[in-house]
Amino acid sequence: MMPTNHRLALLQANSSLLVNTLRGIEKEGLRVDRAGKLALTPHPKALGSALSNPAITTDYSEALLELITETHQTTDSLLAELQAVHYFVSKRIDDEFIWSQSMPAWLPPTPDIPIGWYGTSNSGMLKHVYRRGLAERYGKPMQCIAGLHYNFSLDDAIWHLFDDGPDSLTAKRSKGYLALIRNFTRFSWLLMYLFGASPATSDNFLRGVNHQLQKLDSDTWYSPYATSLRMTGLGYNNKENAQAELQMCYNDLETFVQRIYEAVTTPWPEYEAIGTHRNGEWIQLNPNIIQIENEYYSSIRPKRTTASGERPATALAERGVEYIEVRCLDLDPFSPLGISQESCKFLDTFLLFCATEPSAWFPNNGYCQDSHDNFSLVAEKGRDPKLRLIRQNKTVGLREWAYEILEAMQTYAELLDTALNDQGHSVALAAQRAKVKDADLTPSGQLLQNLRDTGLSLHEYTLQQSAEHKHSLLTAQTDPAAEAKLAAIAEHSLQEQIEIEASDTESFDDFVARYHAQLKRPLLAN
């Protein structure tokens, strides 16, 4: 690898390549009724098939919408598509709303939370049984937490710029994205501070859960300095499940794939005790640490587009990393789309910074405990003015380190501004500096202050906000062509599901066995 100043100089000399940067969004959001309770209605037929509609599906619960964009070369077109999908959905869910918070709305008794249904085909039942397994392992309420995933890739020519060695493009690209991921892991605590937006939750979510939150009102619990309860032990960083044992390695692709393979194929005693069947029905795909690759909860993932039925780990092993998926973002409750233009431009700058700056391998067999601890600390108490993080075995104040990172990002913001003829990246960077100076400007700080100012509970405030977002979406200027396209996709997806169901020729048991057999044992490099 070349020295970083040389790499940055090469990037500056070839800045036109940044025009080919691609980004996409997968945005989750619970459907709720007019009282703000989890919708118990089926996935609306007008939205198409949850199995085969590429733009609108469900994640865990039947009520947990997932809205998916194509990839875009600009954030303008990205958000235009995301808005079109939101408009299409909002127009077709009658008097229901899309919940604007990451932490769930009022949930019914746990047994009544509906698990996503994808029809009777083998591929649809695989999705459903996988989610049954999630319910058994982690509980249904946690699976109703929503977030936003940001997908990002650079022009392949950039990896040749950064690495002039003899390796193939596939190898250079994989090494480059893993280096990005290592830097992201080092610095992702900053995203928790700047964009964490879930410092509180409703009493309804905490039924039977041990916690140390404080009471804000009769229905709202909060942590005074928290930025993202979603990414703490109350959400996806629970240290009491099997995944806490996983220590993924991002030093090289071979080791990463090997550890994913081991997690998918190694039984876990607690899950073995559950079994795969109950009363003659499948309740999980297998008793292993994770049932399939997607079960691994991480703040970022290396990704590769897969063929139908192809296992993600096998695709990565055979064809390398194609893009990365940022998974730690809370929904922005102040945006009807769950994310703002400013946030997108900052993320692009941050990810370019992570891809270009030096990124040494992690010691300790590829696991960086300090980075994981920093991330958790900021999620739990990032707005504490006295908070100190660990950097190279020493403590450093959050603000001091944050300013250093943002200062280092300035060159990348200016580079993107010049290449894309768009000053928004520098503007977005300046907005984040203001948040570091004043923690009350962060989404988590603003949310708590709004709750205090209005006297509303989190549930009341979010219901009001969700209704306002729906109104703004439905009254905004729309693109009839985009709506017609989404309607055609939805209609086609319903027919496609019928055809998939009619084409099945094997039993579900045989289908599951064949699916597991498609996972190939990776060959570790010598």
Side-chain angles (χ1 to χ4, degrees), residues 27-33 36-41 57-67 86 89 93 96-108 113-114 140-147 204-205 331 462-463 466:
K27 187 259 188 179
E28 301 163 348
L30 284 172
R31 284 187 297 113
V32 301
D33 65 19
K37 297 180 180 179
L38 186 77
L40 301 180
T41 51
T57 183
T58 62
D59 195 333
Y60 169 76
S61 172
E62 185 77 351
L64 184 55
L65 291 166
E66 184 173 2
L67 311 183
H86 274 81
V89 170
I93 57 175
E96 294 176 348
F97 305 120
I98 302 174
W99 196 243
S100 65
Q101 263 285 324
S102 281
M103 297 307 285
W106 283 352
L107 301 175
I113 297 174
K140 289 183 174 183
M142 193 188 89
Q143 302 304 309
C144 292
I145 298 172
N204 173 273
F205 176 74
L331 299 182
T462 307
L463 178 58
S466 302

Side-chain angles (χ1 to χ4, degrees), residues 80-375:
E81 183 188 359
L82 188 60
Q83 176 155 335
V85 180
H86 274 81
Y87 171 81
F88 183 85
V89 170
S90 296
K91 193 174 177 181
R92 288 161 175 79
I93 57 175
D94 298 326
D95 58 353
E96 294 176 348
F97 305 120
I98 302 174
W99 196 243
S100 65
Q101 263 285 324
S102 281
M103 297 307 285
W106 283 352
L107 301 175
T110 297
D112 297 334
I113 297 174
I115 296 174
W117 177 249
Y118 305 90
T120 58
S121 68
N122 285 330
S123 55
M125 287 303 300
L126 186 84
K127 288 176 171 286
H128 180 71
V129 171
Y130 164 61
R131 286 157 176 79
R132 284 188 178 182
L134 297 179
E136 295 286 338
R137 294 166 176 229
Y138 314 109
K140 289 183 174 183
M142 193 188 89
Q143 302 304 309
C144 292
I145 298 172
L148 184 142
H149 301 166
Y150 197 81
N151 301 319
F152 178 88
S153 67
L154 292 169
D155 189 316
D156 283 345
I158 289 176
W159 303 121
H160 280 306
L161 283 178
F162 286 178
D163 186 343
D164 61 357
D167 286 344
S168 67
L169 170 62
T170 297
K172 292 177 180 180
R173 184 171 52 210
S174 293
K175 288 193 294 183
Y177 281 123
L178 288 176
L180 185 163
I181 289 173
R182 290 195 299 275
N183 272 340
F184 181 94
T185 302
R186 292 180 176 103
F187 306 131
S188 57
W189 58 265
L190 181 60
L191 299 184
M192 287 294 91
Y193 176 84
L194 297 174
F195 302 111
S198 56
T201 188
S202 292
D203 184 74
N204 173 273
F205 176 74
L206 297 170
R207 290 174 302 194
V209 176
N210 292 323
H211 64 85
Q212 295 181 328
L213 301 180
Q214 298 180 23
K215 200 122 185 176
L216 186 64
D217 55 55
S218 61
D219 183 62
T220 308
W221 294 85
Y222 78 112
S223 184
Y225 297 118
T227 63
S228 177
L229 294 183
R230 169 179 170 265
M231 297 305 297
T232 68
L234 290 174
Y236 288 112
N237 277 352
N238 194 310
K239 299 178 181 179
E240 297 179 1
N241 61 53
Q243 292 206 32
E245 302 296 316
L246 297 179
Q247 294 187 358
M248 291 301 167
C249 174
Y250 297 114
N251 286 343
D252 62 273
L253 184 60
E254 293 83 5
T255 305
F256 174 81
V257 172
Q258 175 67 26
R259 292 189 185 177
I260 284 286
Y261 177 87
E262 291 170 354
V264 175
T265 58
T266 303
W268 185 255
E270 183 179 339
Y271 302 155
E272 285 186 302
I274 295 172
T276 57
H277 290 71
R278 182 179 299 144
N279 300 325
E281 293 187 352
W282 281 85
I283 57 170
Q284 60 176 346
L285 293 174
N286 56 52
N288 301 330
I289 295 174
I290 55 177
Q291 299 169 90
I292 59 176
E293 295 91 321
N294 287 350
E295 188 175 335
Y296 176 54
Y297 295 127
S298 58
S299 61
I300 188 170
R301 283 180 184 166
K303 298 280 284 191
R304 153 65 57 181
T305 304
T306 58
S308 177
E310 185 180 27
R311 297 295 296 263
T314 299
L316 280 174
E318 293 183 344
R319 301 193 301 283
V321 184
E322 182 182 11
Y323 63 98
I324 58 93
E325 177 188 45
V326 175
R327 300 170 48 82
C328 60
L329 297 172
D330 285 350
L331 299 182
D332 179 349
F334 305 108
S335 167
L337 306 184
I339 190 170
S340 68
Q341 177 86 260
E342 179 184 280
S343 297
C344 291
K345 292 186 184 300
F346 179 83
L347 284 168
D348 287 350
T349 308
F350 181 76
L351 293 170
L352 182 62
F353 161 80
C354 288
T356 309
E357 288 293 302
S359 184
W361 279 24
F362 287 137
N364 303 320
N365 204 22
Y367 184 76
C368 186
Q369 187 65 54
D370 288 349
S371 294
H372 288 272
D373 289 347
N374 288 338
F375 185 92

